[in-house]
């Protein structure tokens, strides 16, 4: 399959599974996803999300729980009136007023649910099984009598005895229910158990089976896929895996796995996944961890030298899919593990660096990454400029050996330096208005000549107290020679002294070249 580089071991698994040719996608970002603590979408956000889901190609949008409020009812109705290709579904308990709220919201499908596990029947509904079944059947009749599609859920199905599940599902099927949804309400399943349960249901039911898995143990996607392998042909998913507690099965991961691993058609335009994820991330204000599969920032990012080398030689060495397939871009990231190839790749389009310069940039990027975890493009650009402009090591006449700076609220900033000038050791101290000024004075005194600091510019490249800064200085010697020095670092004082040393070395280098030419 083009652009997919998954394991050959999946072939036999596919062959012995009961996979449907097509899996239908019911997205519940606007209902279960909005139940994520702290998430509340505005009407405009809901419309934008619904449109994006439609563009993605989902089959059904569960747009809300209309009985909740007049506002929810009107929002679901507004979404329905958008005229999308996707069917619009509303959630309802097995009670008339909930179903009426769905009807007035003009939905195509009503998703009715009633709890069937002992815990829920006894402590939540305070009802016996027969009474719950009676309500389920009445609700099914009511939905069907209004000419609407009916999807039925046994809430907490996965903690309900299988005989009871069969009783509920076969009974509602006889009354015309169109889809049987199996919620793993508190995410207590694992893939093999899910496969077994869905196989049992599949052999007894005629209507399509749907999976609704929660992620309490991090298995929502795996369980959803196991259900599909057992013959379920609809999946309930949410963008970014939003949902109660640990969330629901993520749409991105589920449909990509269905496509790449099981070759089950979903009708989803995978190349819009990243875009859809970003939209929901912004609207929900729930930020994805960078390592979130498929759509996370790091899903196609490479930092370690060996990986970068491999990916640049042949992308599938370290990528199971092409990033473009899911609307992503490959990123080569700079950091502690960056190797020569990563830096070379990063800078090759902008700069023409020699091998030695690349090695110098790599060394500086790695050193910087030890205290600044995330290296951004500007950091690398600054480092490249520093390396490009620096005096070659062999030509450096002034070298800094040691510095000590003392500053505080009740003492005069004082610095002492030890440096070598023409291989001769020089030691001196100075005081100043601040630590950098004290250092500049100490360096001048050690060199025994007046060097004026014409310009000093300090700039933080990125935010935060661990931010990287660039220091740019211009110095002038007594003969009016000037030179610029640039340094990048996480420590302002050290970056300042490096920039001063850089400019001094340039002045000395100019002076030497001038003497040689005379
Ligand atoms: O998780 C769940 O049980 C649900 C039901 C309403 C289907 O979301
Ligand atoms: Zn749920």
């Amino acid at each position: 399959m083009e652009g997919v580089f998954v394991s050959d071991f999946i072939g036999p698994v596919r062959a012995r599974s009961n996979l449907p040719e097509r899996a239908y996608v019911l997205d519940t970002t606007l209902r279960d996803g909005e139940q994520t603590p702290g998430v509340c979408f505005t009407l405009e956000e809901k419309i934008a999300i619904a449109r994006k889901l439609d563009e993605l190609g989902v089959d059904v949008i569960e747009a809300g729980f209309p009985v909740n409020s007049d506002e929810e009812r009107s929002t679901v109705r507004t979404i329905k009136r958008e005229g999308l290709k996707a069917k619009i579904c509303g959630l309802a308990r097995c009670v008339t007023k909930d179903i009426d709220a769905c009807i007035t919201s003009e939905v195509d499908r009503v998703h009715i649910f009633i709890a069937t596990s002992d815990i829920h029947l006894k402590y939540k509904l305070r009802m016996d099984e027969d009474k719950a079944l009676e309500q389920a059947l009445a609700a099914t009749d009511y939905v069907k009598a209004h000419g609407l599609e009916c999807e039925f859920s046994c809430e907490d199905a996965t903690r309900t005895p299988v005989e009871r599940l069969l009783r509920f599902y076969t009974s509602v099927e006889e009354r015309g229910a169109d889809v049987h949804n199996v919620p793993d309400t508190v995410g207590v399943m694992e893939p093999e158990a899910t496969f077994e349960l869905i196989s049992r249901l599949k052999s007894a039911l005629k209507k399509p089976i749907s999976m609704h898995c929660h992620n309490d143990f991090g298995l929502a996607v795996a369980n959803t896929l196991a259900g599909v392998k057992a013959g379920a042909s609809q999946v309930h998913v949410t963008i970014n895996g939003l949902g109660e507690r640990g969330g629901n099965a993520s749409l991105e991961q589920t449909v990509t796995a269905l496509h790449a691993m099981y070759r089950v058609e979903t009708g989803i335009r995978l190349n819009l996944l990243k875009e859809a994820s970003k939209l929901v991330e912004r609207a929900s204000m729930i930020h994805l961890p960078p390592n979130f599969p498929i759509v996370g920032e790091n899903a196609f990012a490479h930092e370690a030298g060996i990986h970068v080398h491999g990916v640049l030689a042949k992308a599938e060495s370290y990528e199971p899919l092409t990033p473009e397939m899911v609307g992503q871009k490959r990123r080569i990231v700079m950091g502690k593990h960056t190797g020569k190839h990563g830096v070379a790749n990063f800078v090759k389009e902008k700069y023409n660096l020699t091998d030695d310069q690349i090695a110098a940039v790599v060394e500086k990027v790695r050193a910087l990454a030890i205290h600044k975890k995330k290296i951004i493009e500007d950091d690398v650009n600054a480092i490249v400029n520093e390396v490009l402009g620096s005096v070659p090591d062999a030509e450096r006449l002034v070298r800094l050996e040691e510095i000590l700076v003392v500053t505080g609220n009740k003492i005069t900033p004082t610095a002492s330096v030890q440096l070598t000038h023409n291989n001769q050791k020089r030691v001196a101290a100075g005081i100043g208005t601040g630590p950098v000024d004290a250092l500049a004075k100490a360096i001048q005194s050690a060199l025994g000549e007046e060097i004026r600091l014409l310009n000093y510019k300090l700039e933080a490249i990125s935010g935060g107290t661990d931010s990287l800064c660039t220091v740019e200085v211009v110095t002038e010697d007594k003969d009016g020679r000037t030179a610029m020095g640039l340094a990048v670092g996480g420590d302002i004082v050290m970056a300042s002294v490096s920039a001063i040393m850089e400019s001094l070395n340039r002045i000395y280098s100019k002076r030497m070249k001038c003497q040689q030419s005379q």
Side-chain angles (χ1 to χ4, degrees), residues 60-76:
V60 186
I61 296 172
E62 188 165 63
F65 189 19
V67 79
N68 237 343
S69 63
D70 289 344
E71 194 196 343
E72 182 91 343
R73 255 194 301 284
S74 133
T75 303
V76 175

Side-chain angles (χ1 to χ4, degrees), residues 31-32 35 62 91 111 113 153-156 181 183-186 212 214 236 244-245 248:
R31 199 278 296 170
D32 223 338
Q35 286 172 221
E62 188 165 63
L91 182 70
H111 172 196
F113 73 98
S153 282
C154 288
E155 191 189 11
D156 205 16
N181 184 48
D184 184 18
T185 303
V186 280
H212 179 107
H214 279 272
H236 279 205
E244 296 267 7
R245 307 179 310 280
N248 288 61

Side-chain angles (χ1 to χ4, degrees), residues 305 335-340 361-370:
K336 188 177 156 192
H337 309 104
T338 300
K340 205 168 147 184
V361 175
V362 171
E363 201 183 306
K364 282 175 187 285
V365 168
R366 284 180 161 174
L368 178 66
I370 289 169

